């Protein structure tokens, strides 16, 4: 049995008196695609924020194990940039690109934490710095090509179409060289055709980079067809976990989404 | 026929002028009339009433009132027309003025570029030989402000951190040289790197606690720190000599040679030219590097930036410290130039002027900051002829720049990384 790359153990998050997450558990195994679903306001994005360091969980453990080797590292309370450096990269539900930078530059920012040149390098522009810059540009272009944005390479990100912006966010996250990619509603606002293409892209990314992917998504068709396992969150609690078939037939999930006849 | 079309175009220009920003001629008339009345009311106490304190009489200068009413009435037409023209222009072109277009052209054509650089270099070298001591002196202080502006530009323009206490680092540099010179006779050339190092250290020290804050909050806290430094200088008499300041600071020496005041000022001028060139080089390289990119990203979206693995604190601190480094150096030069410093030279007014240089010149634009410094420092000097109207005119020019060119005199043009098949990132502008 492989060790999980991400192991979240009974994580809770309180905002004042409101418990947004209530002892949520979640496991992502190596090279797995895991979906997190749930009704609006269930706490999915809060969960993402807790594991990526934007929020510090009130209690519980977030453990990562990049190589799936069995030596887990606790990352609660670490800053977002440290979490990214450790290898968890995310996208945002409401796209957060750098609007006045080009597509290429956006991806180049993603490579910031994997490069080193500092003030002296910038001033002297020595061999190492030039080589690094060239490598960054090359690599960024490759990533853009991979997500199908090579024609937008020199375009300002704010001028790109919405669906392309989502793809650019994925490319930027990939540039940080993650072992786990966290996608927050990657298909939001896309038409069925674009969603299909996105699904293809995500599968391709897993194959190519050999990484795990976790996504929050509302598009059930996409979730059901591409996930290995699904977690369902409701009112901050994990109410179900299982393969797409199990989830589709789980009474608790159906109740959460559709409600049920109320006798009381 | 051709005369006829010309006439009609003139007519349409006239009507456009008369109704600019208004629905009709009557509307425009009413607006101008109201503006005239309002200004008459505003200026009444200073322009009309004059108290003759010797004879204890009041002189009513009604004719001034008429002048104001008439000039505002017609002036408001011009004002509205200019505003309307600006709106049209904004729609038409992408905010590139003819001047900026010319600049871009000069920069993209190597021949023109080197010719322009040559002319500038020639003027810069010949300047102190041609003009008198007074002019050279003014130019030296102008260059000090260029360096200060470029330093603050790293903090405000590149990293987007509003720093209202920049003068604190300037003061530290100046006092470092003054005190070391007074006690141990430390020379200018040793003090220059010392000022830079002290500026950096203080920048890190101050930056560490305050950089958690953003925007307005950061501005207020830095403002407070600036004042604290000044108050310390003023009240810590045993060390800083208090408000009476430190005098007889050595001017920079040239291989232990004694120089006349004229030669020494000329020397100072060339030192400053060197420092400015060094600063431009430094800022330019920094801007187009991995660090400059991180600053830009941080300015745009902090959360996304952190999520992409950029250490927010470290990146901001770097900008703050580098800005302070230049303020420290400029401080040393200032002390050497005036050979007398006291806390009154480092008030908030100074921070405000430096910030204005950056904002009016164009945030993030090196050429803009230089233009801003030249205008803001030289203008009040050359406006001395207008005596008491000097600061009024100065203020009016600042307001005009902000109304008509809110992005600054020369807006920032970033070098954009372009991917080309030849696998190199090639430079755009700047």
């Amino acid at each position: 049995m492989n060790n999980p790359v991400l192991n979240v153990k009974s994580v809770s998050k309180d905002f004042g008196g409101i418990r947004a997450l209530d002892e949520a558990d979640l496991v992502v195994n190596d090279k797995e695609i895991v979906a997190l679903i749930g009704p609006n306001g269930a706490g999915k994005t809060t969960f993402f924020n807790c594991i990526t360091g934007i929020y510090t969980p009130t209690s519980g453990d977030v453990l990562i194990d990049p190589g799936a080797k069995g030596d887990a590292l606790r990352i609660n309370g670490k800053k977002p940039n440290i979490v990214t450096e450790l290898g968890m990269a995310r996208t945002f539900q409401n796209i957060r690109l750098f609007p006045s930078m080009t597509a290429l530059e956006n991806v180049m920012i993603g490579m910031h934490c994997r490069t080193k040149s500092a003030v002296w390098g910038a001033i002297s522009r020595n061999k190492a710095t030039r080589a690094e810059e060239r490598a960054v540009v090359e690599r960024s272009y490759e990533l853009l090509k991979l997500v199908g944005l090579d024609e937008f390479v020199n375009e300002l990100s704010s001028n790109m179409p919405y669906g392309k912006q989502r793809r650019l966010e994925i490319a930027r996250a990939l540039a940080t060289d993650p072992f786990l990619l966290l996608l927050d509603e990657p298909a939001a606002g896309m038409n069925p055709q674009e969603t299909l293409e996105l699904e293809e892209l995500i599968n391709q990314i897993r194959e190519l980079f050999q990484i795990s992917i976790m996504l929050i998504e509302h598009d059930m068709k996409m979730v059901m067809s591409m996930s290995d396992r699904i977690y369902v969150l409701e009112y901050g609690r994990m109410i179900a976990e299982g393969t797409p078939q199990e989830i589709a037939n789980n009474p608790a999930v159906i109740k959460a989404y559709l409600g049920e006849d109320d006798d009381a | 026929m051709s005369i006829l079309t010309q006439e009609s175009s003139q007519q349409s220009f006239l009507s456009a002028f008369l109704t600019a920003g208004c629905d009709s001629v009557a509307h425009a008339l009413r607006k101008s009339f109201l503006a005239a009345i309002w200004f008459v009311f505003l200026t009444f106490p200073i322009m009309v009433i004059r108290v003759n304190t010797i004879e204890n009489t009041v002189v009513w200068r009604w004719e001034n009132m008429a002048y104001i009413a008439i000039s505002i009435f017609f002036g408001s037409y011009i004002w509205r027309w200019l505003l309307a023209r600006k709106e049209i222009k904004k729609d038409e072109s992408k905010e590139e003025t003819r001047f900026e277009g010319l600049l871009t052209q000069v920069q993209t054509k190597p021949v023109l570029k080197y010719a322009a650089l040559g002319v500038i270099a020639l003027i810069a070298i010949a300047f102190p030989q041609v003009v008198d001591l007074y002019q050279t002196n003014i130019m030296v202080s102008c260059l000090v402000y260029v360096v200060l502006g470029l330093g603050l530009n790293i903090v405000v323009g590149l990293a987007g951190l509003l720093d209202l206490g920049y003068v604190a680092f300037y003061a530290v540099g100046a006092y470092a040289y003054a005190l070391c010179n007074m006690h141990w006779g430390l020379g200018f050339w040793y003090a220059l790197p010392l000022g830079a190092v002290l500026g950096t250290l203080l920048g890190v020290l101050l930056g560490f606690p305050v950089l958690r804050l953003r925007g307005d909050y950061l501005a207020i806290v830095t403002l407070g720190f600036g004042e604290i430094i000044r108050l310390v200088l003023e009240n810590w008499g045993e060390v800083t000599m208090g408000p009476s300041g430190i005098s007889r600071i050595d001017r920079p020496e040239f291989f232990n040679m004694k120089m006349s005041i004229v030669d020494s000022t000329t020397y100072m001028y060339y030192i400053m030219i060197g420092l400015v060139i060094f600063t431009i080089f430094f800022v330019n390289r920094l801007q187009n590097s991995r660090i400059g990119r991180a600053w830009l990203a941080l300015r745009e979206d902090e959360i996304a930036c952190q999520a992409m693995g950029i250490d927010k604190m470290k990146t901001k601190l770097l900008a703050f410290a580098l800005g302070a480094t230049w303020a420290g150096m400029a401080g040393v030069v200032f002390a050497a130039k005036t050979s007398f410093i006291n806390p009154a030279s480092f008030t908030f007014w100074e921070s405000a002027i430096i910030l204005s240089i950056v904002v009016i010149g164009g945030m993030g634009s090196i050429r803009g900051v230089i233009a801003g410094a030249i205008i803001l420092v030289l203008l009040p000097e050359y406006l001395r002829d207008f005596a008491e109207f000097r600061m009024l005119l100065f203020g009016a020019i600042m307001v005009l720049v902000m109304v008509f060119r809110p992005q600054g005199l020369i807006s920032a043009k970033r070098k954009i990384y372009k991917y080309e098949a030849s696998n190199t990132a090639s430079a755009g502008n700047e």
Side-chain angles (χ1 to χ4, degrees):
Chain A
M1 175 74 196
N2 258 341
N3 293 301
V5 289
L6 172 69
N7 192 352
V8 182
K9 285 182 182 163
S10 63
V11 159
S12 302
K13 177 71 191 172
D14 297 338
F15 292 111
I18 295 164
R19 177 149 276 210
L21 276 179
D22 190 4
E23 310 212 325
D25 293 295
L26 182 140
V27 166
V28 179
N29 293 312
D30 202 14
K31 298 180 199 67
E32 202 177 23
I33 296 183
V34 172
L36 179 62
I37 63 171
N40 286 333
K44 303 182 295 292
T45 297
T46 305
F47 185 82
F48 256 36
N49 286 342
C50 276
I51 60 178
T52 53
I54 291 179
Y55 297 153
T56 305
T58 312
S59 66
D61 293 312
V62 182
L63 305 165
I64 61 164
D65 182 6
K69 290 188 289 277
D71 46 351
L73 178 71
R74 189 167 181 272
I75 58 163
N76 298 33
K78 286 212 193 305
K79 282 189 193 158
N81 56 303
I82 303 290
V83 172
T84 307
E85 248 182 88
L86 288 169
M88 294 213 295
R90 68 172 295 177
T91 66
F92 292 88
Q93 183 178 353
N94 43 346
I95 302 173
R96 299 191 89 123
L97 290 164
F98 306 114
S100 69
M101 297 171 97
T102 64
L104 185 73
E105 286 170 325
N106 266 281
V107 182
M108 285 166 84
I109 287 292
M111 296 190 66
H112 186 94
C113 62
R114 300 291 170 227
T115 46
K116 289 200 177 56
S117 81
V119 176
W120 175 242
I123 302 308
S124 64
R125 231 174 249 179
N126 53 17
K127 224 173 183 176
T129 311
R130 288 200 308 268
E132 188 184 274
E133 283 288 284
R134 217 166 21 244
V136 166
V137 172
E138 276 299 312
R139 177 85 184 122
S140 303
Y141 182 71
E142 270 171 37
L143 287 168
L144 279 176
K145 209 163 159 184
L146 178 86
V147 299
L149 293 178
D150 39 342
E151 56 175 318
F152 291 99
V153 59
N154 295 329
E155 189 75 49
L156 285 187
S157 67
S158 52
N159 294 346
M160 288 166 63
Y162 184 81
K164 308 286 181 197
Q165 289 192 6
R166 288 229 172 262
R167 278 170 174 255
L168 179 55
E169 259 206 325
I170 295 176
R172 189 179 66 176
L174 279 174
T176 66
D177 193 16
F179 68 86
L180 174 62
L181 188 60
L182 303 159
L183 306 173
D184 197 345
E185 298 203 20
M190 286 188 172
N191 64 32
Q193 177 58 30
E194 284 175 321
T195 307
L196 266 180
E197 285 167 10
L198 180 74
E199 192 180 328
E200 214 169 274
L201 174 70
I202 293 175
N203 277 319
Q204 196 191 346
I205 287 171
R206 172 167 66 163
E207 289 309 311
L208 209 61
F209 293 86
Q210 296 283 306
I211 58 175
S212 319
I213 291 161
M214 181 176 162
L215 67 154
I216 294 176
E217 191 46 72
H218 280 299
D219 189 319
M220 280 308 142
K221 203 168 136 229
M222 175 178 166
V223 168
M224 290 296 166
S225 79
M226 73 183 299
S227 319
D228 296 317
R229 282 185 307 122
I230 298 174
Y231 283 86
V232 187
L233 200 62
E234 194 202 9
Y235 296 121
R237 266 192 296 271
M238 288 292 178
I239 56 167
E241 180 259 310
T243 62
Q245 279 76 30
E246 287 165 8
I247 293 295
N249 301 320
N250 188 320
V253 177
I254 295 166
K255 181 185 151 199
Y257 269 91
L258 302 176
E260 64 172 353
D261 291 334
D262 229 347
D263 295 329
Chain B
M1 188 67 197
S2 69
I3 295 164
L4 197 74
T5 50
Q6 210 176 3
E7 220 166 56
S8 72
S9 87
Q10 247 168 16
Q11 199 129 42
S12 69
F13 170 77
L14 193 68
S15 68
F17 180 76
L18 285 178
T19 58
C22 299
D23 310 331
S24 63
V25 178
H27 186 201
L29 263 174
R30 201 169 65 230
K31 262 188 162 177
S32 287
F33 184 67
L34 284 175
I37 299 249
W38 177 243
F39 268 84
V40 163
F41 176 71
L42 266 184
T43 54
F44 186 80
I46 48 169
M47 297 304 286
V48 179
I49 307 170
R50 174 184 268 171
V51 181
N52 189 332
T53 44
I54 299 165
E55 293 168 19
N56 273 334
T57 52
V58 176
V59 184
W60 300 91
R61 297 173 294 173
W62 298 111
E63 72 281 3
N64 277 356
M65 194 165 139
Y67 293 149
I68 285 187
I70 291 165
S71 56
I72 293 299
F73 184 82
F74 291 109
S76 68
Y77 272 103
I78 297 172
W79 177 255
R80 279 199 305 269
W81 178 70
L82 284 173
L83 277 181
R85 212 178 62 132
K86 176 189 157 213
E87 286 301 309
I88 294 166
K89 259 200 182 158
K90 208 195 277 169
D91 297 339
E92 268 176 4
S93 65
K94 275 217 154 180
E95 305 215 5
E96 178 150 293
T97 58
R98 216 170 298 156
F99 177 64
E100 275 178 329
L102 194 75
L103 271 183
T104 319
Q105 217 177 9
V106 166
Q107 272 183 333
T108 44
K109 286 192 185 135
V111 184
L112 282 175
K113 186 177 169 182
Y114 289 119
L117 278 179
V119 169
I120 292 171
L122 216 69
I123 294 173
I125 291 168
F127 188 80
Q129 317 295 342
V130 180
V131 300
D132 60 0
L133 179 66
Y134 171 69
Q135 299 286 348
T136 313
N137 233 332
I138 293 173
M139 200 36 103
V140 172
S141 33
C142 176
L143 291 173
V144 170
Y145 279 96
V146 169
V147 171
L148 283 170
L150 287 172
L152 186 63
N153 183 39
I154 300 176
V155 185
V156 178
L158 301 185
L161 306 165
L162 188 51
D163 181 358
L164 291 181
Y166 192 61
V167 76
F169 308 119
Y170 183 43
V172 164
Y175 267 89
Y177 177 44
L179 289 172
C180 289
N181 186 263
M182 187 175 73
H183 292 303
W184 305 299
L186 192 77
F188 173 81
W189 290 108
Y190 298 98
L192 198 61
L194 179 75
V197 169
L198 282 179
T200 317
L201 279 181
L202 192 75
V204 172
L205 229 63
L206 285 192
F208 209 71
V210 305
L211 285 178
R212 302 163 191 283
L213 303 169
R214 261 200 265 184
D216 324 7
Y217 305 100
L218 178 69
I220 290 168
V221 172
T222 50
L223 171 70
F225 266 113
E227 284 301 284
I228 287 171
I229 297 280
R230 188 180 62 82
L231 287 172
V232 167
L233 292 176
E234 211 149 88
N235 294 301
W236 197 10
E238 305 91 85
V239 175
T240 63
M241 320 297 276
S244 52
I246 301 169
S247 54
R248 281 199 284 166
I249 305 164
D250 286 341
R251 288 164 163 274
E253 70 270 33
F254 185 67
F255 298 116
N256 292 327
M257 237 160 44
K258 272 273 163 215
M259 281 187 284
S260 69
I261 197 117
V262 179
D263 285 346
S264 158
T265 306
T266 311
Y267 183 44
M268 198 81 230
Y269 170 85
Y270 287 123
I271 291 174
M272 276 319 294
I273 290 281
L275 194 57
V276 166
I277 291 170
F278 174 61
T279 311
I280 292 172
F281 172 79
F282 192 96
V283 175
N284 191 29
R285 284 252 160 133
L286 216 53
Q287 194 173 10
N288 299 320
S289 72
R290 169 174 174 265
I291 297 163
R293 225 158 42 224
W295 283 336
L296 176 62
L298 200 64
R299 210 168 67 201
E300 303 234 298
D301 191 333
E302 275 195 12
I303 290 180
C305 212
Q306 275 190 294
M308 287 305 116
I310 290 174
D311 192 331
K312 186 172 89 176
M313 199 63 197
K314 224 165 112 185
T315 314
K316 280 185 177 181
L317 205 57
L318 188 64
F320 210 68
L322 284 175
T325 308
W326 260 267
M329 282 202 274
V332 173
V333 174
F334 175 74
K337 171 188 164 275
T338 53
S339 78
F340 166 75
I341 53 166
N342 71 347
S345 311
F346 307 104
T347 54
F348 170 67
W349 170 248
E350 216 58 25
S351 287
I353 284 285
I354 304 166
L355 188 65
S356 310
I357 286 174
V358 176
V359 174
I360 287 190
M363 273 196 265
S365 153
I366 293 175
R367 292 167 304 171
V369 171
I370 295 171
I374 290 173
I375 290 173
L376 256 65
V377 178
L378 295 190
L379 206 61
E381 290 298 332
Y382 293 125
L383 285 177
R384 276 185 198 283
D385 297 341
F386 296 90
E388 65 257 50
F389 291 107
R390 185 164 76 114
M391 287 332 261
L392 195 70
L393 275 175
F394 182 63
I397 288 166
M398 281 172 80
V399 170
L400 284 177
V401 169
M402 282 296 101
V403 169
F404 288 103
R405 287 197 63 77
Q407 73 277 47
L409 289 169
I410 303 175
S411 49
K413 270 237 191 74
R414 197 163 59 81
K415 169 184 160 181
I416 288 176
Y417 288 87
K418 287 221 165 88
Y419 185 84
E420 280 156 18
S422 60
N423 84 4
T424 44
S426 73
N429 293 302
E430 189 103 303

